[in-house]
């Protein structure tokens, strides 16, 4: 599976999924004030979000976690399982929320706090739609360390899985690029580190995602932690 990107052909299409109409209105006002962004629909629960994602084919879904009928985690899981090109951004109330971690596990490409500043919201939506989503890498890394690698973290099966045999399919360069992705580096930063062109890095990223059957680069970060490929080196990160 390779990254699907919004290439600017027409407006970026967005679906809002939240059971609070006033919150949806606020997000709509912020996002539709921006050039090139169109809110194509609103959902009041997870089941409706899944249905509208299929029928409206948005580029990005802003997905609340706690909703009636079906929560945002299950809705995200179903959207990812259907191989929808839509990217999901989970909305949470605080950054070390276990629901945010569950959302990333379910296939979300990022998470944001509900009180996010308007400019950050717009930037995150554009980044996620571009396929080069590096949204708050430090917060994402701290979240993953809390719920995957920390000794006192809530149990997740028997802990991190053994190294995935699929890793053997990666070339040495691809493994280097995967580790850099897991550090939260952008394509430009990876290119600079390894003295490569951004186009070459992008090709490496596509092949990595295809070989490991991953949805996007954020899922690659989750994969890196869950398989033990990445070991936290800074407890204060």
């Amino acid at each position: 599976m390779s990254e699907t990107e919004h290439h600017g052909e027409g407006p970026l299409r967005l679906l809002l999924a939240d059971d609070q109409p006033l919150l949806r209105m606020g997000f709509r006002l912020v996002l539709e004030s921006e050039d090139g962004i169109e809110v194509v629909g609103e959902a009041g629960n997870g089941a409706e979000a899944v249905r509208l994602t299929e029928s409206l084919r948005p580029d990005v879904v802003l997905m609340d976690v706690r909703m009636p009928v079906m929560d945002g985690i299950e809705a995200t899981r179903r959207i990812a399982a259907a191989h929808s090109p839509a990217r999901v951004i989970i909305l949470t109330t605080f950054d070390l929320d276990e629901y945010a971690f569950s959302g990333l596990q379910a296939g979300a490409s990022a998470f944001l706090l509900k009180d996010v500043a308007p400019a950050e919201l717009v930037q995150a939506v554009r980044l996620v739609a571009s396929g080069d989503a590096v949204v708050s890498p430090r917060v994402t890394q701290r979240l993953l360390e809390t719920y995957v690698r920390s000794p006192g973290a809530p149990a997740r099966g028997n802990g991190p899985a053994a190294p995935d045999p699929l890793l053997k399919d990666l070339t040495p360069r691809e493994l280097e690029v995967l580790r850099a992705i897991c550090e939260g580096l952008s394509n430009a930063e990876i290119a600079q580190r390894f003295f490569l062109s951004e186009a070459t890095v992008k090709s490496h990223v596509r092949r990595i995602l295809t070989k490991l059957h991953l949805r996007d680069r954020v899922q690659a970060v989750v994969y890196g932690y869950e398989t033990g490929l990445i070991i936290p080196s800074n407890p204060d990160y």
Side-chain angles (χ1 to χ4, degrees):
M1 256 178 258
S2 62
E3 292 182 294
T4 302
E5 301 165 15
H6 180 78
H7 292 290
E9 300 169 1
L12 193 162
R13 296 166 58 81
L14 196 72
L15 175 68
L16 303 176
D18 195 293
D19 62 337
Q20 299 179 49
L22 284 176
L23 197 59
R24 294 200 307 268
M25 182 185 299
F27 282 134
R28 178 185 280 273
L29 288 172
V30 168
L31 292 161
E32 288 199 328
S33 69
E34 295 291 319
D35 290 336
I37 296 180
E38 176 187 2
V39 176
V40 296
E42 297 185 17
N45 61 66
E48 191 177 8
V50 173
R51 187 168 61 252
L52 290 179
T53 298
E54 182 179 358
S55 63
L56 298 176
R57 298 185 64 79
D59 298 300
V60 177
V61 181
L62 276 182
M63 182 83 73
D64 186 27
V65 169
R66 298 170 180 83
M67 292 186 288
V69 183
M70 180 189 296
D71 65 34
I73 305 304
E74 179 60 26
T76 299
R77 187 175 292 113
R78 295 193 186 193
I79 289 169
H83 304 300
S84 167
R87 303 300 175 117
V88 176
I89 299 177
I90 290 288
L91 296 170
T92 63
T93 51
F94 58 99
D95 58 12
L96 289 185
D97 191 341
E98 186 174 359
Y99 287 106
F101 168 73
S102 298
L104 293 180
Q105 277 196 316
S109 295
F111 71 93
L112 290 173
L113 301 183
K114 280 195 168 186
D115 61 356
V116 63
E120 290 179 38
L121 172 65
V122 173
Q123 180 188 34
V125 166
R126 292 193 190 281
L127 276 172
V128 167
S130 76
D132 191 22
V134 185
V135 181
S136 302
R138 287 177 179 269
V139 176
T140 300
Q141 186 167 1
R142 196 166 77 246
L143 181 82
L144 290 168
E145 290 177 7
T146 299
Y147 289 107
V148 178
R149 303 294 298 162
S150 297
R156 280 286 178 277
N158 294 318
D164 189 337
L166 289 177
L167 284 172
K168 295 178 181 177
D169 294 336
L170 300 185
T171 66
R173 174 64 83 193
E174 287 167 351
L175 194 57
E176 287 179 329
V177 171
L178 175 58
R179 290 182 185 277
I181 291 171
C182 291
E183 288 179 40
L185 300 187
S186 67
N187 286 349
E189 291 168 330
I190 295 172
Q192 184 175 26
R193 173 178 291 186
F194 298 121
F195 305 100
L196 301 170
S197 70
E198 283 193 53
T200 298
V201 171
K202 206 164 193 177
S203 294
H204 282 313
V205 172
R206 289 179 187 274
R207 285 198 293 271
I208 290 165
L209 297 179
T210 298
K211 288 181 178 181
L212 299 180
H213 309 297
L214 298 171
R215 183 173 170 81
D216 58 26
R217 64 193 301 125
V218 175
Q219 291 304 305
V221 178
V222 176
Y223 173 92
Y225 276 85
E226 291 193 318
T227 59
L229 178 68
I230 302 301
I231 306 297
S233 58
N234 184 349
D236 297 322
Y237 214 0

